């Protein structure tokens, strides 16, 4: 259906969008002139709409919608990015995919900060729990250093209140449950520190759940402690995230959980056959029957089979060079230089925004618009992001794509944050009753 924006209903929204966009300009976007042109013309468009003589283009409608509603992105890897190399994300940064100016320009108002803990720490001489606490400290520091720009969000209500104040919420999700360390007291501890979802495993099977990436499946799905943890998460008010887990563990969650679960940053396996990290159609249907939501990952190798093949060919070539050269460290400058030259002659095949939109379409046709959302994996998928979705300033491009494909304003609001709000409120309500 064609979405028309009528004068009296949207003048106020346009004015709010103009104010928000003028606060900061994005530090880098794929085509900086395009969003700048839209922003610069918004004041003129407001006046035209007051006169009731003009309607907005799809790009302008998308710009308005990006500021009118909360955009929640369920997975942004800022904390670990800053752990590796500090950046002041309250200002424009050259590195990464997220900073305040780009988020504000894109309308991103609730990026979930991923408290990512490498899977290897559970099996090496490391302390997963300590690292998780350190990364939470770093999120709190972002807020404390720029309270006029960012705010923590421990609940749906806080997220909504922050949006009304013009602040970007930084809710938190833990990627990899290893910091729980087999002790439910740690679940309570991390809940009190603001963790509102936990991705049960990551790249290796752990004491909670088997991983989709790990050939070793010691638990046969969820471990006995994992099943106990799922019940405790229900009772505590922490959303269960099934991204990264094995298929068997996913179905265990569906049996054990008494509230909807989420996939915080997964895509449709329909487009990437054999890639267990994504969700099969049957899994998406089961998640929807449970009331849950799949939040689509943007990474090219998650959404596009040619990108996966391209990445595999590059990796194989690099491994061959290292073997021939007797080099064990992939960060060796000789390897880095060789890889750079190889890619010049054999460029990585990027997905584009239309491929990402196809994943949304597929899920919606399969189970309806109530069960899909955004989980970009910004700052987590390196330089593999699709054309049109290169950073946090790109959300108007995604919304324009939805409009072009006939989605209504109501549909788009659900995708941007409405579906998250529904699940999060259900999880909150269940915990309050238990």
């Amino acid at each position: 259906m064609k979405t028309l924006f009528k004068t009296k209903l949207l003048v106020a929204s346009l004015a709010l969008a103009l104010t928000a966009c003028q606060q900061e300009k994005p530090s880098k976007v794929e085509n900086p002139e395009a969003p700048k042109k839209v922003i610069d013309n918004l004041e003129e468009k407001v006046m035209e709409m007051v006169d009731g003589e003009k309607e907005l283009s799809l790009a302008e409608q998308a710009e308005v919608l990006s500021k009118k509603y909360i955009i929640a992105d369920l997975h942004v890897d800022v904390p670990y990015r800053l752990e590796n190399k500090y950046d002041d994300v309250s200002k424009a940064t050259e590195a990464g995919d997220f900073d305040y100016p780009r988020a504000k320009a894109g309308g991103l108002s609730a990026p979930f900060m991923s408290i990512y803990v490498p899977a290897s720490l559970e099996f090496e001489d490391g302390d997963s729990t300590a690292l998780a606490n350190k990364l939470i400290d770093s999120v709190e520091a972002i807020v404390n250093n720029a309270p006029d720009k960012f705010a923590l969000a421990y609940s749906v209500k806080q997220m909504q209140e922050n949006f009304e104040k013009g602040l970007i919420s930084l809710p938190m999700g833990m990627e990899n449950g290893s910091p729980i360390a087999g002790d439910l007291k740690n679940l309570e501890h991390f809940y009190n520190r603001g963790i509102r979802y936990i991705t049960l495993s990551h790249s290796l099977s752990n004491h909670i759940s088997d991983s989709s990436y790990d050939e070793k499946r010691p638990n046969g799905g969820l471990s006995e402690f994992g099943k106990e943890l799922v019940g405790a998460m229900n009772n505590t008010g922490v959303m269960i995230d099934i991204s990264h887990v094995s298929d068997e563990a996913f179905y265990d969650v569906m049996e054990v959980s008494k509230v909807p679960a989420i996939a915080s940053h997964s895509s449709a396996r329909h487009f990437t056959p054999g890639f267990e990290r994504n969700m099969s159609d049957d899994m998406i249907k089961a998640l929807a029957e449970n009331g849950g939501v799949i939040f689509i990952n943007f990474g090219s190798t998650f959404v596009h089979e040619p990108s996966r093949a391209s990445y595999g060919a590059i990796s194989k070539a690099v491994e061959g060079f290292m073997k021939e050269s007797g080099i064990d460290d992939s960060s060796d400058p000789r390897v880095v230089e060789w890889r750079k030259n190889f890619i010049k002659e054999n460029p990585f095949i990027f997905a584009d925004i239309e491929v990402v939109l196809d994943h949304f379409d597929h899920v919606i046709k399969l189970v309806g618009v109530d069960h899909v959302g955004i989980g970009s994996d910004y700052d987590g998928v390196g330089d593999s992001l699709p054309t049109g979705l290169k950073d946090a300033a790109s959300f108007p491009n995604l919304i324009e794509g939805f409009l072009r494909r006939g989605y209504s304003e109501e549909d788009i609001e659900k995708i941007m944050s409405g579906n998250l709000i529904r699940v999060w409120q259900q999880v909150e309500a269940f915990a309050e009753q238990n």
Side-chain angles (χ1 to χ4, degrees), residues 73-77 110-116 136 153-154 171-177 180 187 190-191 194-201 233 237-244 260-265 295 374-377 420 423-424 427:
D73 184 339
L74 268 284
H75 199 87
V76 178
D77 274 296
F112 273 70
M113 296 288 99
S114 172
I115 305 303
Y116 162 66
I136 294 170
Y154 293 167
M172 290 179 283
M174 180 184 290
E175 185 178 23
N176 187 7
I180 300 301
L187 171 64
F190 284 117
Y191 175 83
I195 294 297
R196 290 300 177 266
Y197 75 69
I198 296 177
T199 315
L200 300 180
S201 65
M233 288 170 68
V238 178
M239 290 179 282
I240 299 157
D241 177 20
I242 57 80
S243 289
H244 283 286
I262 64 168
S264 69
H265 58 305
F295 296 88
I374 297 166
S376 68
D377 215 347
L420 163 69
V423 170
W424 194 354
V427 170

Side-chain angles (χ1 to χ4, degrees), residues 418-434:
N419 293 333
L420 163 69
I421 289 171
R422 173 182 57 79
V423 170
W424 194 354
Q425 287 177 330
Q426 285 179 269
V427 170
E428 289 176 332
F430 185 89
E432 287 175 3
Q433 296 169 4
N434 291 274

Side-chain angles (χ1 to χ4, degrees), residues 360-424:
F360 283 93
D361 276 353
H362 180 75
V363 173
I364 291 167
K365 290 175 182 175
L366 199 63
V367 295
V369 75
D370 293 326
H371 303 286
V372 68
I374 297 166
S376 68
D377 215 347
Y378 281 142
D379 281 335
V381 289
D383 58 359
S384 75
L385 288 161
T387 56
L389 291 172
K390 289 296 187 184
D391 62 20
S394 303
F395 288 102
N397 297 343
L398 185 69
I399 296 169
E400 182 181 354
F402 291 136
L403 291 170
R404 193 171 57 250
R405 293 189 179 207
Y407 290 101
S408 68
E409 181 173 348
E410 180 183 4
D411 293 335
I412 294 169
E413 180 186 6
K414 288 181 178 181
I415 295 168
M416 291 194 295
S417 61
N419 293 333
L420 163 69
I421 289 171
R422 173 182 57 79
V423 170
W424 194 354

